[in-house]
Amino acid sequence: MTASFKDVRFFDTTLRDGEQTPGVSLTAEEKLWIAKKLDELGVHVIEAGSAITSEGERASIKVIANEGLRAEICSFARVLKKDIDLALKCDVDSVHLVVPVSDLHITQKLRKDKKTVKEMAVDVTEYAKDHGLIVELSGEDASRADLDYLMSLYKEGISAGADRICFCDTVGVLLPEQTEKIFAKLKTLPVPVSVHCHDDFGLATANSIAALRAGAQQVHVTINGLGERAGNASLEEVVMTLEALYDCDTGINTKDLYTTSRLVSRLTGVPVARNKAVVGDYAFTHESGIHTHGILASPETYEPIAPEKVGRTRKIILGKHAGKSSVKMALKEFGLEASEEQVGEIANRVKELGDKGKRVTDADLQAIAEAVLGICKEAKVKLDELTVISGNKVTPTASVKLVVNNKDVIESGTGVGPVDAAISALRRAISGIADIQLEEYRVEAITGGTDALVEVWVKLSKDGKMVTARGAREDIIMASVEAVLEGINRLME
Ligand code: MN
């Protein structure tokens, strides 16, 4: 089994089918950026776009074709000579020559008959070959076509010079066992066979693997499974299935899978589902106590893929499933030592927060741990309410309600922005008991997207005494307020 997968070729269509994802449109610069990344990843063919689409599309395909990438650069084309002429203007190596083959597509879309369509396919294949292009002759809606007709079309196309043929499950209706049977037949053709699957039933990866098992030599994929409707087979899933479950070296640079996924998500604006295989946020994140205990003992207990293999790191999240093991792991990261009893108490408090539906951040855990370990006394100044108003035609204004030595203090402040306004309100609220100066403010770490954790560091001083404090939240204003409050409390100890 391993040997048959050794020479699988990856035909990436992120820039063509992927760009046909509803609402996605990439600039020429963005397409080139993705193409370079795909080339580094090691895909064999990059379908850079469809030359017939527009002048701008042609310009971007041409730039990619002339970039000197290792991959074969391909354009989508219909079985029309003018499409070949336009592809030639883009300097591509090959065309993905797509011919509708199901009765439905032939009669309803093209309003032609099978014989005419086959003649067009042969004719345009010859034309493209005469002009020096590599031709991948592709049957659109092949999974709903008459297989005998399809085979005869492929055979005549191959006689006309087609270098590869492709079978498209255009609407994603194939089943894996059916795919194996079809490809066992296609394998008898004298040229490499390619498979193009869609994910309408969530079967794109399974069908692609079934086709490869039955003898297909090339697979069409997209980064993050982008593509028309529910998308195409995802590159990362197909690659990792072959690598990890079939023990096959695909030649793909798997360590770049995550960064490629992030790049494509960012440029296309299509987020990756958090629980998506391989590249989703949660794919290497553990929360439950039992699982983190296992991971601590041996990562393979709950990780079928080592995170480093795909360029990722393991994350432990604390919440209501947190156990002593995950708390211990987290404490170790903070450099805090706790007795068994203290660890138990910290875990209980984390669970309490988790039960309220709260995600427990690093800062929360640190605060809990410090309180339990007696590092920090009960805070003198606590935040009860915070309101911030900001916009383009409003003076950034904040109001706070603090509990200072068990008494409510309400104050407001303005600033150049919402963070400045919030900090100004805080300083005014405690001005009666302490004169606190903000010496330094910096946002230290932002991981991932706009919903990621923001870490704010502040340096505060009071009567020559200086402290550094930290806040970590998903909300930059809350992170800033948290940091300043922590600093205030420490200055007032
Ligand atoms: Mn498609």
Side-chain angles (χ1 to χ4, degrees), residues 147-368:
L147 199 53
D148 290 336
Y149 169 71
L150 186 62
M151 285 298 277
S152 76
L153 182 142
Y154 283 150
K155 279 177 188 162
E156 288 182 35
I158 292 164
S159 299
D163 301 274
R164 305 186 291 260
I165 60 111
C166 178
F167 183 99
C168 296
D169 183 20
T170 303
V171 291
V173 293
L174 275 184
L175 288 166
E177 61 269 30
Q178 192 188 358
T179 308
E180 291 213 18
K181 274 186 200 148
I182 293 167
F183 278 80
K185 197 161 180 183
L186 296 178
K187 189 177 72 170
T188 62
L189 294 167
V191 297
V193 179
S194 188
V195 62
H196 179 108
C197 292
H198 276 270
D199 209 31
D200 296 73
F201 290 87
L203 290 169
T205 297
N207 287 332
S208 300
I209 298 290
L212 293 172
R213 274 170 51 86
Q217 283 136 288
Q218 183 176 274
V219 57
H220 285 209
V221 285
T222 59
I223 299 296
N224 299 337
L226 289 179
E228 295 250 31
R229 304 181 313 281
N232 288 65
S234 99
L235 179 140
E236 54 280 2
E237 288 178 11
V238 174
V239 166
M240 288 317 296
T241 301
L242 296 180
E243 291 262 345
L245 302 181
Y246 287 96
D247 194 26
C248 156
D249 179 7
T250 59
I252 295 291
N253 182 11
T254 59
K255 284 190 166 58
D256 275 356
L257 284 176
Y258 186 58
T259 48
T260 309
S261 162
R262 296 307 309 166
L263 177 73
V264 169
S265 173
R266 189 158 59 81
L267 297 183
T268 57
V270 181
V272 174
R274 291 189 175 204
N275 60 347
K276 164 96 168 61
V278 186
V279 291
D281 255 10
Y282 294 163
F284 296 96
T285 300
H286 310 274
E287 179 182 323
S288 120
I290 300 165
H291 283 208
T292 46
H293 178 77
I295 291 282
L296 202 58
S298 166
E300 300 92 76
T301 49
Y302 291 102
E303 275 174 359
I305 303 168
E308 311 78 53
K309 169 102 179 162
V310 294
R312 305 201 54 176
T313 51
R314 177 178 309 127
K315 271 201 262 180
I316 306 286
I317 293 276
L318 296 173
K320 70 172 180 181
H321 302 294
K324 281 187 177 182
S325 307
S326 38
V327 168
K328 265 188 211 163
M329 268 176 99
L331 290 178
K332 215 170 115 189
E333 272 177 41
F334 296 140
L336 296 173
E337 279 192 25
S339 67
E340 277 300 308
E341 199 186 334
Q342 286 168 326
V343 168
E345 176 56 24
I346 294 167
N348 283 341
R349 292 205 195 179
V350 166
K351 277 171 189 284
E352 270 173 36
L353 277 177
D355 277 338
K356 287 176 194 151
K358 221 182 141 190
R359 251 184 72 195
V360 182
T361 64
D362 284 4
D364 293 327
L365 179 75
Q366 204 162 11
I368 292 169

